[in-house]
Amino acid sequence: MPADTVDAKKEEVVEVGEAASAASVESSPISVGKGTPKENRDSGHESSATSTPDAERAMTPELKDGEVPEEAVYILHIELPSGDKFDVQVNNTEMLQEIHQVLLEREGTCHRTCYSLQLEGKSLDHFTEIRNVPGLKSGSTLAVVEEPYTLREARIHIRHVRDLSRMSEQGDAASAVDGMSLSYLPIVGLGEKKQEKGEKEKTFEGLPPENVLPGTKERSLSGVIPSAAIAANKSPYALKNLGLTPYNPPIPPRKMKGDVLYLFADTLEKRRVHITCCTGGFYVNGSDENTFKPTPASGQKTVVYHSLVDLIAAVSPLFKKNFTALIKKRVERPILDRLPTPYPQFAWLAPASEPIEDALRADDATQPHRVGIEEHLPGQIRDWNEELQTTGEMARTTLNERINRDRSVFKIHSDFISASVKGAQAVVEGNVMAINPADDPKTHMYIWNNIFFSLGFDVKDHYKEFGGDAAAFAATAADLQGVRAYSSVCDESKLATLGMAIIDYRGFRVTAQSIIPGILEREQEQSVVYGSIDTGKTVVSNDKYHELLDQAAKELKMLPHEVWNGKEGDEKAKVKLYTSFETKGIIGNDSRYYVLDLLRTFPPDVHYLPEFNAVSDFARENGFPHEFPHKLVAFRHELVNAFIDASYMKFVRVATYHIQMAAKEKKEKQIANGAEVQLSQEDATELNAEAMKKAAESVHSLNPNEFDIRFNPDCFSTTVKHAEEENLEAQRQLVIDCGEFLLKHQIPAFVEDLVECTVAPIDGEGLIEQMHTRGINVRYLGQIAKLAPKHIAWLRSLIGSELVVRATKHVFRGLFQSVKSGKKGGIRARASTASEWEMTSQKSLWKAICDDAAFYYNYELQVSSADALLEEWGVQKSALLRRMCRAFGIQLLAKDYNLFVAGRPIFVEDDVQNVFPVTKHREPEANDAKRLFTRGSQEMANGRLKEAYEYIAESVNLMTSVYGAMHGELAQALRSLARLSYILGDPQDALAQQHRAAIMAERCYGLDHSETITEYVNLAHMAFSNLLVPTALKLLYRARHLLLIAAGESHPFMSTIDGNIGVILFAVQEFDLACKFIQSAEKIAAAAGETKRLKSALLNHVMARAHACRGDFRTALACEKETYTIYSSLFGVEHEKTKESNETLRQLTQQAVQFQRRMQDASKGTTNLAQLLPINAQQPSLSTIIDVLNVVNGIIVFSIREPSNGEKEEGVEAVERTDKVAAIEEVKEEIKLEEETLD
């Protein structure tokens, strides 16, 4: 871009937080202060840093030698090579790199890459804190000085210009290229003009489309990615093609003259420009299609441009025009739409994409040995293990230290996951050479980008006795669970775990791990100093590992135990283990103590180990033990914690009961003997000891005198031999009790929550997540299906579809592996021998799916075909198709499919756009931010809203410091912050925070994820409160459309959406449509089994008003009577709400009588028909509508006033009385429960 086009104002101030956030996940703090200006509600357009007092902007005071300036805000003057200047406002604790990010975001400097920042002629290091730069203070001038090009800098610059010359495609976003993901909200403006009172509206844009009306059968998949979103990213290219010529690299004589690279640029004028890059910049050389001439073209004045953009703009007017438009559009995009996601987010639907001519991208993508970051690294690829371990060992004494550590851990982990996904794809596609190429392909191992990759097959029959390949496949997931558990408890110890990710891609499971230093140089027998390498036949131990594992074992409730090391009869052969024998300890060359193979961290699930036949009577009545494909079955960490908590509560109740009974009996004996009624200290001690013994016996405690529940993960192992001192019977009994607790309490309680709609997952992903939260393994899905009532349509459909999807995934995994890679990509060439896939019929496939469901989940589907399943279980095709694509990693073309015509395929081969990886990994957390958020949630539950706002606002700031401005947890915190702002009376701030939350949900979870649907509804509520009525309705229609595809119309959350739509349509006097949606909401709620509560009463009240406005007074009276009945049962007949409903009934009755008289007069001809309507029906106020919406969306707004001193004293006494009464009742209930238990 020529210098005269640089848009830089002399006095312009740029805040670093905003600009840096668009290029770095670690920057861009989100403002959480209240009172966000209305014009800045569109996320990302406003400055994100909070305002700073003038006092903080003052010149920094003189400092003594070695003294570090305190944290402050500087104003720095930036001088560009063109002579223009602008100011930046920056915190002095930031690095100078942030100023580089500012320049990358500015419209006039975004194309510059090869430059340095200089202070008084001295170049500054990018990664130095601003306050540590000698002589730099507020008011200083930093000069942007152009630097000579090297080969590395030239390649970076060329690729940067290429990226700026093209807008990102939706197809790239659907495939998670460069951290992009799809979004919808940026095309939905939140700044529509509010309708003034009395102003006529030409056309109302809030009417619902046909495909979202209640009762519709249409499921339009093309609407998931709206055409407007696709069009918004369709921009004219500034350059047709840019690439390197075949004459690279320069020959030595030309290198001596300063040549660095030769490239070409194909302009939109259909002209090819040949360019030479030298150390000073770029110039047009004299080459043409037939002749290579790196020197300047003859007869032309040689002009060397430091920026390639400036050169091309000088020779191509169309480039200059389009590039300026592209940069302007790029700058106008919300920041949250430009930031990369923390982890790759693939979409199951993608728009149609066409191949584009891009020489640089072709060069990068066809070199599988490249890792994609060579240009930015100082000479070598990253040492992932060292980075992961070093960041984990960072200091964490102070809050700032913990934030820096959490930020570093998260950033390195995020980069590791992205690299692992890319490497796993290269491995499966055959683009990485195995380190053991002569072995069986199933046993191949790979190293790519310093990451170790292995396939999920049984290598060297290690899992032969446990289920072979099925056990090997499950072992990786169990190992990841162990890594998550140890990572959460190893912070204070010096134990090190590996970076790990599991990637399912094209039917293969690939495990990616960081590499222990030195492990590839030694045999495994030489490396392992703790654990077993032969499934427990020989075991070794280590005193240092005992010391390190002691605390971890306590945290994870693992019981230290002694086993034989393989030499019977030798006392010294007994070794002590704090973990399972499968856990291996390796001391790396870096002297760190690593633990790996953590697949047996938690106790085994005896319900699926029939060879032991060790289950409770209750489990046996429910059909256990059950056969399973493998023996590596274990309970979840959440179940272990829940079981121990429940056992402890039982222990306390039993001990309390026996102490009370014993004391009562003792006193009765003393009274009978005429002695003084008192208990000595010895008597109390004896009673306590006896009660503790009985309580310990009731929970099968390992210690007969106190509460001690820990688990030996090896207690059911057949390969390792325990020492005689180990009480295996007691250890096994605890595992049996834990299994009974799962079947008797956890699963029935979860099913009850589903039935009562306490939790209502939208799809299978949400269902499994809720199961895991309660410690229920996926293999108990059949047990849940048996307990779930068949009359609840949404629940039966959800469970049935998930059973089929998971069984199908097991069947397809083997079939997919048998398909040649070319056929997976759509090539129609036939192999010489038919694959297993081609020989599979529809009937045999369905039989295999039913058999798998019975084998894995202990549930008989008892349906003859997929069509029968859809009909009998109420499963809809769109939900099943969506879930399968997301589970298998299949990306389809976003278009409307044939979902209702039987006998025809839903999609054809050409509709499959891509196959994407499905990834599992641990997720590092912002621990301090999470604690603040939890505290804020508690304050909110207790009604202290201002305190809750402060806690959650601070948690948002800390999350932003750790995660950057784009993360799923941050979206959840912003949602809570938006609700608090709304309740505290600041709807504008609520809208701004909720808008950010919704965009983050779209980007981090997916366009049609359940979290995204929920955020749309919340955003619609906030938009309506700001009188953005058409926007609110558009968001609700989209939420309804996505929920129809994902779950169908019977889902309970559809009742909330329809209630919102109906109330808003009533507010804009669309009475017929309002009645349809409110009736649908009531019908869905009734079908889902929801009880008639305040929400139903309010909706019936609104519906009564709507019917009255339509002249249907009979229906209006029926609706209002329902409201009156609910209010009477909830509050009583004397309550204000009940009286208000009664008054409404009276008014409706009068209007009905008046209307009937007019009808009679009209039939006699005494009244004109035109006088029949309108009846003066009372219209509710806007505040009343908002109150109804609050209840529909679960928000209760109440006013708070400061009580007087007298009221405070009375309140304290009332609270104390209430607490005493509640405590007494709780003790009575516990004693009653304990008596029932003992009986």
Side-chain angles (χ1 to χ4, degrees), residues 163 166-173 180 233-234 333 337:
D163 293 338
R166 300 175 183 271
M167 282 290 288
S168 60
E169 295 286 338
Q170 290 286 79
D172 290 342
M180 295 187 292
N233 284 274
K234 290 282 186 182
R333 285 177 62 192
D337 194 34

Side-chain angles (χ1 to χ4, degrees), residues 901-956:
V901 180
R904 291 177 57 187
I906 295 177
F907 59 89
V908 296
E909 182 179 335
D910 291 338
D911 292 328
V912 180
Q913 299 290 287
N914 196 7
V915 178
F916 60 85
V918 179
T919 310
K920 300 177 183 178
H921 56 87
R922 78 175 186 92
E923 297 192 15
E925 296 178 336
N927 297 309
D928 290 284
K930 195 170 184 179
R931 283 192 286 268
L932 280 172
F933 181 76
T934 303
R935 178 67 181 275
S937 300
Q938 293 171 349
E939 295 291 336
M940 184 161 48
N942 293 330
R944 293 187 284 270
L945 302 182
K946 292 183 180 179
E947 292 83 355
Y949 186 95
E950 292 174 0
Y951 280 118
I952 296 180
E954 185 59 29
S955 76
V956 167

Side-chain angles (χ1 to χ4, degrees), residues 1148-1190:
L1148 288 175
T1149 304
Q1150 289 178 353
Q1151 292 174 0
V1153 172
Q1154 182 183 1
F1155 180 73
Q1156 187 64 30
R1157 287 174 180 173
R1158 290 187 182 183
M1159 287 286 293
Q1160 292 175 357
D1161 292 341
S1163 63
K1164 296 177 181 178
T1166 58
T1167 302
N1168 191 342
L1169 289 174
Q1171 298 178 357
L1172 287 176
L1173 291 176
I1175 297 295
N1176 294 324
Q1178 183 182 356
Q1179 279 289 104
S1181 63
L1182 178 62
S1183 61
T1184 303
I1185 294 295
I1186 291 179
D1187 288 343
V1188 175
L1189 287 178
N1190 291 339

Side-chain angles (χ1 to χ4, degrees), residues 428-466:
V428 175
E429 291 168 359
N431 295 326
V432 181
M433 187 72 178
I435 61 177
N436 56 336
D439 295 343
D440 183 358
K442 288 187 175 182
T443 66
H444 281 178
M445 295 172 285
Y446 309 84
I447 294 179
W448 184 87
N449 192 9
N450 257 351
I451 303 174
F452 177 78
F453 295 92
S454 58
L455 303 178
F457 297 109
D458 187 9
V459 179
K460 298 180 181 180
D461 293 335
H462 183 75
Y463 297 105
K464 183 178 180 180
E465 299 179 3
F466 304 105

Side-chain angles (χ1 to χ4, degrees), residues 46-58:
E46 73 275 15
S47 173
S48 55
T50 56
S51 60
T52 307
D54 293 337
E56 292 184 355
R57 300 181 181 178

Side-chain angles (χ1 to χ4, degrees), residues 1099-1109 1115-1117 1119-1120 1148:
L1099 288 178
N1100 273 285
H1101 177 71
V1102 172
M1103 193 156 50
R1105 294 296 178 86
H1107 282 297
C1109 293
T1115 308
L1117 283 167
C1119 293
E1120 191 59 39
L1148 288 175

